[in-house]
């Protein structure tokens, strides 16, 4: 599908990832390991697969980390460039800020937080065939109340942008992927924060621009919360979410080279074990994301949780729906339940935190 070389891609990766703290204190969210690869790698691989080669990353928070890892993009078959925001400009301002680097007449913009499986070529086909000024990827979700809704008419044209409501008139939501004709990026105001959802898109409708919806029911997940991050990673491991960056067999777990898994450990639910991590005998990992170099001792249980770089979970400890920061040490027999977050380097003594009476 090399026919899309005339389209540029822009990925907005400037967010601070506050909902994923403490993991994002050390690394920006798009660089966190997801099925063993920086999250952004999955999106870049999809862009390359669609035949788009020129990609501009709009960065701000820990901007240098992206270039250190991806360089000029040649390893992925891409031509990567970087633009850094000095002050937060919002989604619209972030798009306008990369304009000097853009070369093509059509620009495909991605929210760097989204794990998606839609066919990017099909979105571009919709944009071309309808002669749209802006095309939005809209995804159908079972419960649209948590999202802004985007209704379309019989021709697929967008008719409104509606804020979150308890009674949404449609199940179509903004999936965070847009195609702009370049001149519409040029129209975005400069030098101040601009929201693409609240300002740019409604203004386009008001001025009569052709705003087209490309609606599908493809895999889609906003990876902003620990719960979604864990589920997205597990979906990649199990093959529920597609990624051209992950060749090979899908299954209940993905264990990276150099990791040690003792006999009798149980790894299920799309668990990922990072490089150099150690999993002890009889440990039970269900939907766990174990970053490189972490240790889960014998008999411990980790369910739907993220264990940061080099952290240690002591013998017979339980971590469920939690986030354990880099280098933290959770003592033997501790119980950390829903929503627990342990900051980097914190040491919890054996039996030091419990939710039940017996130790």
């Amino acid at each position: 599908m090399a026919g899309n070389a005339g389209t540029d891609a822009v990925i907005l990766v400037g967010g601070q990832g506050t909902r994923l703290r403490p993991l994002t204190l050390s690394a920006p969210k798009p660089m966190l390991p997801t099925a063993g690869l920086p999250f952004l790698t999955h999106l870049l691989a999809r862009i390359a697969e669609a035949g788009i080669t020129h990609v501009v990353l709009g960065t701000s928070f820990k901007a240098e980390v992206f270039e250190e890892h991806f360089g000029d993009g040649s390893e992925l078959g891409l031509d990567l460039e970087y633009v850094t925001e000095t002050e937060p400009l919002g989604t619209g301002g972030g798009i306008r800020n990369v304009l000097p680097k853009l070369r093509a007449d059509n620009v495909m913009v991605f929210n760097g937080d989204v794990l998606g499986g839609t066919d990017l070529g099909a979105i571009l086909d919709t944009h071309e065939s309808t002669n749209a000024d802006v095309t939005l990827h809209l995804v159908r979700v079972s419960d649209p109340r948590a999202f802004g809704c985007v209704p379309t008419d019989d021709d697929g044209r967008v008719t409104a942008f509606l804020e979150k409501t308890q009674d949404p008139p449609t199940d179509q939501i903004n999936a965070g992927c847009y195609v702009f004709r370049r001149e519409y990026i040029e129209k975005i105001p400069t030098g101040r924060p601009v929201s693409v959802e609240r300002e740019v898109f409604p203004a386009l409708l008001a001025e009569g621009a052709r705003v087209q919806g490309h609606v599908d029911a493809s895999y889609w997940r906003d990876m902003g919360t620990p719960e979604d991050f864990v589920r997205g990673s597990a979906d990649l491991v199990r093959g529920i979410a597609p990624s051209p960056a992950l060749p090979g067999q899908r299954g209940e777990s993905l264990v990276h080279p150099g990791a040690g898994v003792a006999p009798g450990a149980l790894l299920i639910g799309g668990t990922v074990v990072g490089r150099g991590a150690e999993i002890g005998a009889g440990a039970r990992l269900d939907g766990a994301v174990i970053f490189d170099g972490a240790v889960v001792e014998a008999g411990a249980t980790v369910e739907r949780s993220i264990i940061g770089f080099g952290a240690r979970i002591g013998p017979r400890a339980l971590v469920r729906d939690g986030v354990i920061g880099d280098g933290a040490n959770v003592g033997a027999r501790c119980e950390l339940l829903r929503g627990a977050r342990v900051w980097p380097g914190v040491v919890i003594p054996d039996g030091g935190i419990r939710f039940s009476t017996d130790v």
Side-chain angles (χ1 to χ4, degrees), residues 80-347:
L80 262 182
E81 293 192 274
Y82 303 85
V83 176
T84 302
E85 287 176 25
T86 46
E87 63 251 25
L89 294 170
T91 45
I95 298 168
R96 178 63 180 78
N97 196 46
V98 305
L99 181 68
K101 297 276 191 197
L102 300 179
R103 306 168 190 163
D105 290 330
N106 280 330
V107 181
M108 198 165 200
V109 178
F110 298 89
N111 171 346
D113 295 347
V114 169
L115 179 64
T118 197
D119 177 352
L120 302 182
I123 301 175
L124 290 169
D125 289 346
T126 296
H127 184 70
E128 292 291 333
S129 65
T130 59
N131 201 22
D133 298 314
V134 177
T135 300
L136 277 78
H137 176 216
L138 307 177
V139 69
R140 291 199 166 101
V141 293
S142 52
D143 183 4
R145 286 176 303 183
F147 307 97
C149 290
V150 186
T152 49
D153 68 13
D154 293 344
D155 296 326
R157 282 184 75 156
V158 171
T159 55
F161 291 93
L162 305 172
E163 295 284 343
K164 297 172 192 176
T165 162
Q166 279 306 298
D167 188 21
T170 173
D171 61 356
Q172 298 173 180
I173 66 159
N174 174 356
C177 170
Y178 325 114
V179 187
F180 280 86
R181 285 210 344 227
R182 183 193 175 101
E183 64 204 69
Y184 284 88
I185 294 180
E186 291 168 353
K187 291 181 179 183
I188 297 173
T190 57
R192 65 174 177 86
V194 181
S195 163
V196 76
E197 301 86 356
R198 292 193 184 85
E199 187 175 342
V200 176
F201 291 151
L204 287 171
L205 289 185
E207 72 170 64
R210 178 159 195 127
V211 182
Q212 190 71 23
H214 176 89
V215 183
D216 63 23
S218 57
Y219 184 90
W220 185 86
R221 184 175 294 282
D222 177 326
M223 298 281 273
T225 65
E227 180 184 17
D228 278 313
F229 189 90
V230 164
R231 287 187 60 179
S233 180
D235 287 346
L236 283 165
V237 172
R238 299 169 81 181
I240 296 166
S243 171
L246 284 179
Q249 201 54 43
R250 298 284 190 276
E252 283 298 289
S253 66
L254 176 61
V255 178
H256 284 87
V261 178
L266 178 66
L267 278 57
I268 57 175
T271 286
V272 184
V273 179
R275 294 154 191 81
E278 296 287 336
I279 310 299
R284 183 176 187 277
L285 275 55
D286 184 352
V289 183
I290 310 295
F291 285 5
D292 297 358
V295 176
V296 178
E297 301 275 9
T301 299
V302 179
E303 297 178 358
R304 298 182 303 275
S305 297
I306 310 168
I307 311 299
F309 294 103
R312 173 185 171 269
I313 307 301
R316 302 208 314 279
L318 166 63
V319 180
R320 180 182 293 144
D321 300 304
V323 179
I324 310 300
D326 302 343
N329 191 328
V330 176
R333 302 179 312 283
C334 285
E335 294 175 334
L336 298 176
L337 302 185
R338 179 169 186 84
R341 295 174 194 244
V342 177
W343 251 241
V346 168
V347 177

